Every structure is written in structure tokens, then in C-alpha cells.
Amino acid sequence: MKKNKRLIGKIVILGAIILGLLAVCAVLTLYFFTSIKDTYATVDIAKYGEWEGHVENEGLGRNCGLNIFPESLEKTQHVNYYYFYQSTNLSLDQTIIYLEAAYDTVEFREEIARLSEIKCDYNINGEKVTKQIVYDEELFEYPAYIATYCSDLSYEYALIKQEESKIVYIYANQINFKDIFPESYIPVEKQKESLYEGNSMDNINIYFLKDSAGNWISNKD
């Protein structure tokens, strides 16, 4: 009698485990099929700068100005371009903007000068406060101008390939881009760990400023 009770108990436990696993699978399947709403991608350089209007609410939650990117490609000599946007039902929209552009000597210098002057101005209690783009030679394998670094689940930076007169511009939001770009374009400290580990608004981010009350103010405000 005791053996039968033990057997029944084991069957009940096993059944509960199986039901639990089936429920998890059902949830994951539902997530997979319902979370992604729409996706748009292009490598057409004729569409450079068109980062809104392809899918519903595209770029609506993008909390940056994409200031590192040149307004046009008129001054470039050779370009590789990729744009990807995916919207979801979970407010976890993902974006990649990648541009690798070659310049002649003069235009290369002018573009670097433009990058070095990028800034965002804020008005804090009637006082003008400026956040300047950050130049760094340690976080990447190339010298970099950084607007956002692992902040607000985003990266926005330009890598300077001096010997080739090329500049690589990258914006990534909530997406793992390790397998998309060469390792030399990925942050050095992130090559062996999660790209968004350590994400913090206190990291480099010219598009937000903390006021005296400790509140974050957007450059768009």
C-alpha cells in the first residue's frame, strides 16, 4: 500500500514537472510569435539618413540625436552602409546603424573636426551647461569619438582609421552586435562579455544630463 502511494506521489510530481515544462514552452512560443511586430533593414546608400517611417513608431523611443553621423554622403569616396530596425510588443525595439566611409585627405580632416565639436547644450536653472563628445583611445582598438557608451542600452561612436582615411560610425540600441561587426569595431572590454553589462546612465551619454535634484534631463526636453 505504501509502495503504491509512493508511486502515485512520484507520478503526480512527474506530471506536475511535465505540465510546468509544457507551460514554459507555450509561453516561450507565444513570446516568439507575438513579441516581434515589424522589421526593416537596408544596405541601400540612397536611403542613408532615412531612419523613420518604414514601420509603425520607428525610432519613437530613440533617446539620442545620432549626432555622430554625417548629414549626407556627398563628401565620401567609398561607403558601406547597413540599417536595421525591429519593433516589438515589449517596448524593446532594436536598432543598428552602421556606416563605414572613406574620405580624401582634406575631407577626412574636416570630418574629424566636425566630430570633435559635437556637443549638447542644456539649460539648468537658467544656466547653460554643455556636454561635449568624448574622445578616447582606450575603449576601442581605434581612436574613438563617443556620444553614448553602454548607457540607456545604447552605443553611439565613431572610430578613426587614420592610415586608411576611413571613419566607422556605429549606433546600436538593445541589440547584440558582436556577430555583426568585426571584433576591432567592438568595445575592447565588451569583447568577452555581454555588451550591455554595466549599462548605466552615469556612463558616457551626451544626450542626458543630471540636474541638481538628481533627475535626468534629455537633450530633447
Side-chain angles (χ1 to χ4, degrees):
M1 189 70 177
K2 289 184 178 180
K3 289 183 178 180
N4 289 338
K5 288 184 177 179
R6 289 176 182 173
L7 179 60
I8 292 172
K10 290 180 180 179
I11 292 174
V12 171
I13 292 172
L14 180 60
I17 292 173
I18 292 173
L19 288 174
L21 291 173
L22 289 173
V24 170
C25 290
V27 170
L28 290 176
T29 301
L30 183 64
Y31 168 84
F32 179 79
F33 284 107
T34 62
S35 65
I36 297 175
K37 290 173 61 178
D38 217 338
T39 298
Y40 173 82
T42 184
V43 294
D44 185 355
I45 61 174
K47 298 183 181 299
Y48 173 78
E50 298 178 7
W51 301 320
E52 295 181 12
H54 304 103
V55 301
E56 184 180 359
N57 296 325
E58 182 178 0
L60 186 64
R62 193 179 293 148
N63 297 320
C64 68
L66 302 177
N67 292 357
I68 66 160
F69 292 92
E71 290 187 7
S72 73
L73 303 178
E74 293 180 2
K75 298 180 179 180
T76 61
Q77 294 185 331
H78 177 72
V79 168
N80 288 320
Y81 174 61
Y82 175 61
Y83 172 64
F84 169 87
Y85 180 85
Q86 181 171 272
S87 63
T88 73
N89 293 315
L90 304 175
S91 299
L92 297 173
D93 295 4
Q94 299 178 327
T95 309
I96 283 285
I97 304 176
Y98 161 77
L99 173 69
E100 183 166 355
Y103 297 85
D104 66 24
T105 302
V106 174
E107 301 291 0
F108 183 64
R109 291 173 181 170
E110 290 181 354
E111 178 60 7
I112 291 177
R114 182 192 71 83
L115 287 168
S116 69
E117 294 171 358
I118 291 174
K119 62 182 180 179
C120 289
D121 294 326
Y122 300 82
N123 188 315
I124 305 295
N125 299 324
E127 181 182 351
K128 180 181 176 181
V129 179
T130 299
K131 291 190 78 171
Q132 193 81 22
I133 196 165
V134 174
Y135 176 77
D136 183 89
E137 297 184 353
E138 303 294 333
L139 293 174
F140 297 87
E141 292 189 19
Y142 296 98
Y145 286 94
I146 307 169
T148 305
Y149 184 92
C150 198
S151 177
D152 197 29
L153 294 173
S154 298
Y155 287 88
E156 184 185 337
Y157 55 91
L159 304 177
I160 311 301
K161 302 178 73 172
Q162 189 75 39
E163 295 181 1
E164 302 172 63
S165 293
K166 287 185 177 180
I167 300 177
V168 178
Y169 309 82
I170 291 175
Y171 170 73
N173 175 243
Q174 300 189 105
I175 189 169
N176 185 353
F177 52 96
K178 282 186 177 182
D179 298 328
I180 299 176
F181 304 132
E183 190 174 272
S184 59
Y185 295 175
I186 306 299
V188 173
E189 68 171 355
K190 301 294 181 179
Q191 289 176 1
K192 295 182 180 180
E193 60 183 60
S194 169
L195 283 168
Y196 297 100
E197 184 175 338
N199 175 76
S200 173
M201 293 299 291
D202 289 316
N203 293 339
I204 297 171
N205 192 331
I206 67 172
Y207 301 112
F208 285 88
L209 179 71
K210 186 181 289 186
D211 64 17
S212 57
N215 300 313
W216 288 102
I217 299 173
S218 171
N219 178 248
K220 296 180 179 180
D221 294 338

